[in-house]
Amino acid sequence: ALGTHTAVLHASSRLIQAFETINVPVTLPKNIALRTAAAMLASFGSSLARRAAVSGTVLRSLGARSYATQDLTVRDALNSAMDEEMEKDKDVFILGEEVGDYQGAYKITRGLLQKYGANRVRDTPITEAGFTGIAVGAAFSGLKPICEFMTFNFAMQAIDQIINSAAKTLYMSAGSINCPIVFRGPNGAAAGVAAQHSQCFAAWYSHVPGLKVIAPYDAEDARGLLKASIRDPDPVVFLENEILYGESFKVDDKVMDKDFTLPIGKAKVMREGKDITLVAFGKLVGYNLKAAEILAEDDIDCEVINLRTLKPIDRDTIVNSVKKTHRLLVVEEGWPQSGVASEIMAIATEEAFDYLDAAPERITGAEVPMPYAANLEALALPTIDDVVRVAKRTMGKQ
């Protein structure tokens, strides 16, 4: 019996070593009595006992699937999501400027023309009003277009098609005409591209009934929410950020599953805390996470919420967090008046007023068109230092 248990323990330890080295999911049979072996072999030395303890930990986790992790850029997350949805559904197609031969202005559509052909990856002239109207008409006819804007600043040329046609037709047709379309592309400030290429349209589109508005932060958001948007029967405005395209994030293999989606309308608590709630979307979620690390050094425990969806907004996650922390700070790149931050502050005061120990605060972009000069551009946008400073003020520590 001792020899059998020794062999089992040795084999298990080797397996655990391999698992830790290459980080892949391993399924172990549930009938291996490792804890019994560990007890019988305790006298054989502390090193062996430690390995047995590790084996016991693996046993306790049996029944819960383990996932390997990998690095995934936001660019590749978006690309893989479109690829898989086009493979899954022949009605899905892409159109926009330079999406085909050039592989996308930011290489988001890389390889799709070669795989699916020019009928499903359509290069268009520089005429946003025209190709957006074509996309909306195709959606009315039962196709599922992904309409890419080189930047959402250019979507202003097509805003009539987005709002008056895509957003309103389901209501105006008494529910008889759906518009399953995704409008996607980079939104907000990039770097050094001045006023006409740096605007955040989150508040504009989230104001409109009939649209769903999404702003992903990391690779998991980008992949799961884009797949969900393509499958959704309603028009979705999908606001990406150019600065995030090349950033890598850790994802596990469940995110890479072809059926992986994230629910539209549900925020994510990125970091739990008890002292103050920090809320943002897109790139600024990363700012809040970094600020939370700095604030932790001053014993300020921040809860960080990634909104993910701006319409419909997840009121419950915001309110429940404020009820726990009793303080709120919202950060966005857009202009202050009638912004997303204003809406979140209103939600907090309407539904959690009695729980607030301090007035809700916001940090936004400056009330100016985006400057071209780098030093002025930096002054026009929120920073991590701004988040730290205002959070301390809200906590009464500055």
Side-chain angles (χ1 to χ4, degrees), residues 289-308:
L289 289 169
K290 292 174 183 175
E293 294 176 5
I294 297 169
L295 290 162
E297 297 173 3
D298 285 337
D299 296 323
I300 298 176
D301 189 13
C302 301
E303 182 145 298
V304 177
I305 294 178
N306 171 10
L307 286 174
R308 285 182 166 173

Side-chain angles (χ1 to χ4, degrees), residues 87-268:
E87 187 175 59
K88 175 185 175 70
D89 188 342
K90 63 179 177 57
D91 289 333
V92 178
F93 74 100
I94 299 169
L95 78 167
E97 297 159 1
E98 299 184 343
V99 298
D101 288 333
Y102 192 67
Q103 308 289 296
Y106 302 97
K107 308 308 176 196
I108 307 299
T109 54
R110 183 185 65 249
L112 300 182
L113 173 66
Q114 288 71 24
K115 185 172 181 179
Y116 298 104
N119 281 337
R120 295 184 66 193
V121 183
R122 291 184 168 265
D123 279 322
T124 68
I126 303 174
T127 170
E128 283 79 10
F131 70 72
T132 305
I134 290 171
V136 172
F140 288 162
S141 300
L143 298 178
K144 299 175 182 178
I146 303 169
C147 180
E148 176 178 311
F149 297 113
M150 194 178 294
T151 160
F152 261 94
N153 297 275
F154 301 159
M156 289 186 71
Q157 303 292 328
I159 201 165
D160 178 66
Q161 301 285 4
I162 297 170
I163 293 176
N164 280 328
S165 296
K168 296 179 181 178
T169 297
L170 180 66
Y171 177 83
M172 294 177 69
S173 67
S176 63
I177 302 177
N178 286 94
C179 189
I181 186 171
V182 177
F183 304 102
R184 55 153 296 271
N187 170 70
V193 290
Q196 294 177 335
H197 297 75
S198 301
Q199 191 167 322
C200 178
F201 288 89
W204 290 48
Y205 289 114
S206 65
H207 183 67
V208 181
L211 293 178
K212 295 176 180 177
V213 183
I214 291 172
Y217 162 56
D218 57 17
E220 179 179 329
D221 290 358
R223 181 171 160 81
L225 289 168
L226 184 54
K227 289 171 76 71
S229 299
I230 294 168
R231 299 180 188 187
D232 199 272
D234 297 314
V236 178
V237 174
F238 200 88
L239 302 172
E240 301 154 13
N241 187 278
E242 176 185 338
I243 303 297
L244 290 174
Y245 283 151
E247 283 206 29
S248 291
F249 295 88
K250 294 288 185 185
V251 297
D252 57 40
D253 61 355
K254 71 177 181 180
V255 175
M256 301 309 297
D257 190 287
K258 288 189 176 183
D259 290 323
F260 174 76
T261 60
L262 289 172
I264 294 173
K266 184 64 179 174
K268 179 182 180 181

Side-chain angles (χ1 to χ4, degrees), residues 277 279 315 318-323 326-330 340-362:
T277 298
V279 182
R315 300 172 73 96
I318 297 165
V319 170
N320 291 337
S321 181
V322 171
K323 286 181 177 180
H326 310 294
R327 292 173 177 84
L328 173 66
L329 171 58
V330 192
V340 175
S342 302
E343 177 66 19
I344 294 168
M345 293 167 72
I347 291 170
T349 53
E350 288 170 357
E351 300 190 28
F353 180 80
D354 290 338
Y355 292 85
L356 288 166
D357 289 341
E361 296 258 21
R362 60 178 169 167

